[in-house]
């Protein structure tokens, strides 16, 4: 690991000030992605700005509209939250299957979505439910937040502070996990979301995406059979030692069917 | 450039001057001589390095030592009561829950966190909990048996 300066931020503004003044300064949340990156010398920041000392950033609350999860809320806290389980059980279920218990004890929703790994689980929930990302500067609709492979709409001095998920009707997430890491080879989130049926796919492409044809079919008839005959093209899908693009395309239909069946 | 880090390890107040890039596991092993916590990978996947920080199991290879400032850390060395093995350690001994033993400290620290939250875990729950602990020797079967027996012994 290259050496760097370490600063524990006391507030979001302080953290934003440091990363705003120095392009090579980087935020640290749960560290479950960033510390392995540092260990492998894939990054050489001047300063690591730790968000773990910022108070009030890890709250989870629910009201009639939905659930708001603070950016520093750990995956384990979302998985165990009675509020999340009551309001949007599919979200608690998704969080409970991220990585392993030790990753869930440290990893945060803010870090996960800011990183936008193509195989991460949370992007599917944000796009599948039509969530809104709150930052220190603005609110961003999930549909506009994830912009490409490891790319988001965030600016250099922009910090995710919370994510708001609207309540949904039936909803569920199914993933075909990588057997070693549990990252999604393909994961599909289906929901009768606040603004209509949504089908969001992670793992398959460079970035989370929606499948309009499946959404229309499920809006007409919410059943696993509605999506059984619908597939997506393998063009542009991810291909690696774990799965070919064709196999991933096949899994999208299988996981969509299973998610609809799981949602009931 | 070093920073001074003070924390409690196995009930004792300790401090060390470390570089910001020092991992908690390096501080434990290299500064404090607590070599029971192992390093088995550099991808945060194997769990050989699991310790408890403020009561929760975490991977000590994926936390900076400076982040543990003020924390209460427990390692495998702090588990036994003097020469008397902890019931979970005894269960690994009795059920042949290890072969080379490299993964064992992490397995035990992880198992203790499971039992804290779930005193009577099913076999399936034990297997799911061990997602982040890899063993290259045993095939897991006797580890699962050990944790089941250890949990039973801890329930008394
Ligand atoms: C073994 C293993 C298995 C895993 N399995 C899965 C899995 O199955 N599914 C899955 O989805 N993920 C998985 N992960 C990733 C895990 O969920 C991480 O926690 C997550 O990707 C990053 O969150 P973090 O809080 O650890 O962020 P960090 O690693 O601290 O940061 C990640 C990036 O986000 C930036 N960042 C952090 N917080 C903010 C913020 N509030 N605002 C703006 N930028 C910010 C950082 O600067 C950094 O670039 C796994 C990780 C490991 C090590
Ligand atoms: S050494 Fe492998 S997870 Fe920490
Ligand atoms: S006993 Fe050898 S790695 Fe588990």
């Amino acid at each position: 690991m290259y050496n760097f300066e370490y600063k524990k931020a006391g507030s979001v503004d302080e953290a934003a000030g440091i990363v705003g003044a120095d392009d090579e300064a980087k935020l640290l949340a749960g560290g479950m992605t960033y510390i392995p990156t540092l260990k492998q010398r894939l990054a050489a920041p001047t300063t690591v700005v730790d968000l773990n000392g910022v108070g009030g950033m890890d709250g989870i609350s629910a009201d009639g509209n939905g659930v708001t999860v603070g950016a520093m809320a750990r995956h384990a806290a979302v998985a165990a939250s009675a509020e999340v389980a009551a309001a949007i059980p599919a979200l608690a279920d998704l969080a409970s299957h991220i990585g392993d218990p030790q990753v869930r004890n440290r990893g945060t929703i803010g870090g996960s979505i800011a990183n936008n790994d193509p195989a991460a689980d949370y992007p599917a929930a944000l796009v599948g439910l039509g969530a809104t990302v709150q930052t220190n500067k603005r609110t961003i609709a999930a549909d506009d937040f994830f912009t490409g492979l490891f790319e988001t709409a965030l600016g250099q001095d922009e910090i995710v502070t919370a994510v708001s998920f609207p309540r949904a009707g039936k909803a569920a997430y199914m993933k075909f996990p990588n057997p070693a890491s549990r990252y999604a080879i393909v994961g599909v989130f289906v929901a009768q979301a606040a603004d209509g049926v949504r089908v969001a796919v992670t793992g398959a492409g460079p970035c989370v995406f929606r499948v309009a044809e499946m959404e229309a079919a499920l809006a007409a008839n919410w059943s696993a059979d509605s999506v059984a005959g619908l597939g997506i093209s393998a063009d542009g899908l991810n291909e690696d030692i774990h799965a070919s693009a064709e196999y991933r395309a096949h899994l999208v239909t299988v996981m969509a069917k299973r998610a609809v069946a799981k949602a009931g | 450039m070093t920073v001074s880090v003070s924390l409690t390890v196995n009930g004792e107040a300790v401090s060390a001057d470390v570089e910001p890039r020092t991992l908690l596991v390096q501080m434990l092993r290299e500064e404090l001589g607590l070599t029971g916590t192992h390093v088995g990978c550099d991808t945060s996947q194997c769990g050989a390095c699991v310790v408890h920080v403020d009561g929760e199991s975490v991977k000590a290879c994926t936390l900076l030592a400076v982040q543990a400032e003020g924390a209460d850390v427990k390692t495998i060395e702090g588990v036994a009561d003097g020469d008397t093995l902890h019931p979970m350690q005894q269960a690994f001994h009795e059920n042949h829950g290890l072969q080379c033993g490299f993964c064992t400290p992490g397995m035990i620290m992880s198992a203790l966190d499971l039992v804290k939250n779930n005193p009577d875990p099913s076999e399936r729950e034990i297997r799911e909990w061990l997602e982040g602990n890899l063993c290259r020797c045993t095939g897991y079967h006797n580890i699962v048996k050990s944790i089941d027996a250890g949990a039973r012994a801890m329930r008394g």
Side-chain angles (χ1 to χ4, degrees):
Chain A
M1 204 185 305
Y2 298 110
N3 218 346
F4 48 78
E5 207 181 319
Y6 171 83
K7 283 201 183 131
K8 190 164 187 172
S11 68
V12 171
D13 284 349
E14 185 189 347
I18 301 168
V19 293
D22 176 2
D23 278 358
E24 304 296 317
K26 264 293 208 174
L27 301 168
L28 177 65
M32 292 297 116
T33 294
Y34 197 52
I35 292 180
T37 306
L38 290 171
K39 286 200 291 192
Q40 289 164 60
R41 293 198 164 185
L42 297 172
T46 48
T47 305
V48 168
V49 186
D50 192 352
L51 293 172
N52 286 281
V54 178
M57 239 180 126
D58 62 352
I60 298 175
S61 61
D63 63 18
N65 298 324
V67 175
T68 297
V69 180
M72 289 299 290
R74 315 286 170 180
H75 307 328
V78 175
S81 161
E83 273 115 326
V84 177
I88 311 177
L91 182 59
D93 176 62
L94 175 144
S96 77
H97 291 104
I98 297 176
D100 58 56
Q102 289 73 38
V103 166
R104 294 194 291 273
N105 278 343
R106 293 292 303 169
T108 69
I109 188 168
S112 174
I113 66 169
N115 192 54
N116 195 18
D117 190 300
D121 295 307
Y122 268 129
L126 268 73
V127 172
L129 290 163
T132 308
V133 179
Q134 293 165 25
T135 76
N136 55 333
K137 307 201 154 176
R138 54 184 171 146
T139 60
I140 309 170
D143 289 341
D144 303 326
F145 182 84
F146 302 103
T147 53
L149 183 73
F150 292 107
E151 295 281 343
T152 68
L154 291 172
Q156 162 71 12
D157 59 345
E158 195 164 15
I159 297 177
V160 177
T161 53
V163 182
S164 294
F165 295 91
R167 276 175 196 267
K170 290 175 178 174
Y173 177 67
M174 276 302 293
K175 74 168 154 176
F176 190 85
N178 176 314
S181 71
R182 299 283 138 178
Y183 270 110
I185 288 179
V186 168
V188 179
F189 200 104
V190 298
Q192 296 172 340
D195 63 354
V197 171
R198 281 171 173 257
V199 175
V201 177
T202 190
C207 177
V208 60
F209 62 88
R210 293 171 66 180
V211 186
E213 212 188 344
M214 289 187 178
E215 293 178 349
L218 289 171
N221 174 20
W222 182 271
S223 83
D225 288 344
S226 299
V227 289
L230 301 178
I232 65 161
S233 156
D235 288 348
L237 295 191
N238 301 336
E239 198 149 38
D240 54 28
I241 53 163
H242 306 297
S244 66
E246 287 72 26
Y247 186 50
R248 280 191 163 85
H250 172 75
L251 284 177
V252 170
T253 303
V254 177
M255 291 302 120
K257 267 167 42 187
R258 289 188 191 169
V260 177
K262 185 170 168 185
Chain B
M1 177 195 52
T2 59
V3 247
S4 161
V5 181
S6 302
L7 59 160
T8 306
V9 178
N10 300 329
E12 248 179 75
V14 296
S15 57
D17 290 327
V18 298
E19 288 183 326
R21 63 177 164 179
T22 307
L23 298 166
L24 176 62
V25 71
Q26 287 173 309
M27 175 171 166
L28 292 171
R29 291 177 57 85
E30 293 163 24
E31 303 288 333
L32 305 175
L34 296 170
T35 52
T37 304
H38 294 165
V39 176
C41 72
D42 60 7
T43 52
S44 304
Q45 281 181 308
C46 77
C49 62
V50 171
V51 301
H52 295 182
V53 174
D54 293 330
E56 276 187 347
S57 59
V58 303
K59 296 177 181 183
C61 74
T62 317
L63 191 72
L64 302 173
V66 282
Q67 293 187 281
E69 169 69 34
D72 187 6
V73 174
K74 189 173 203 170
T75 71
I76 190 69
E77 288 90 346
V79 168
D81 179 10
D83 286 341
T84 312
L85 290 181
H86 184 283
M88 188 61 79
Q89 292 174 305
Q90 190 63 35
F92 271 71
H93 180 68
E94 282 167 10
N95 291 279
H96 197 56
L98 57 142
Q99 288 179 26
C100 80
F102 194 84
C103 68
T104 316
M107 288 287 176
I108 289 177
M109 298 315 284
S110 189
L112 291 174
D113 195 20
L114 166 66
V115 175
K116 186 189 76 183
N117 297 308
N118 181 357
D120 189 6
S122 67
E123 179 186 334
R124 193 196 157 119
E125 285 169 334
I126 295 172
R127 288 186 184 275
E128 280 179 356
W129 186 266
L130 294 181
E131 180 53 46
N133 292 92
L134 303 184
C135 174
R136 304 309 302 267
C137 302
T138 64
Y140 301 97
H141 197 68
N142 285 353
I143 293 177
V144 175
K145 258 170 63 185
S146 303
I147 295 174
D148 181 51
R152 212 176 319 121
M154 286 168 69
R155 289 197 299 277

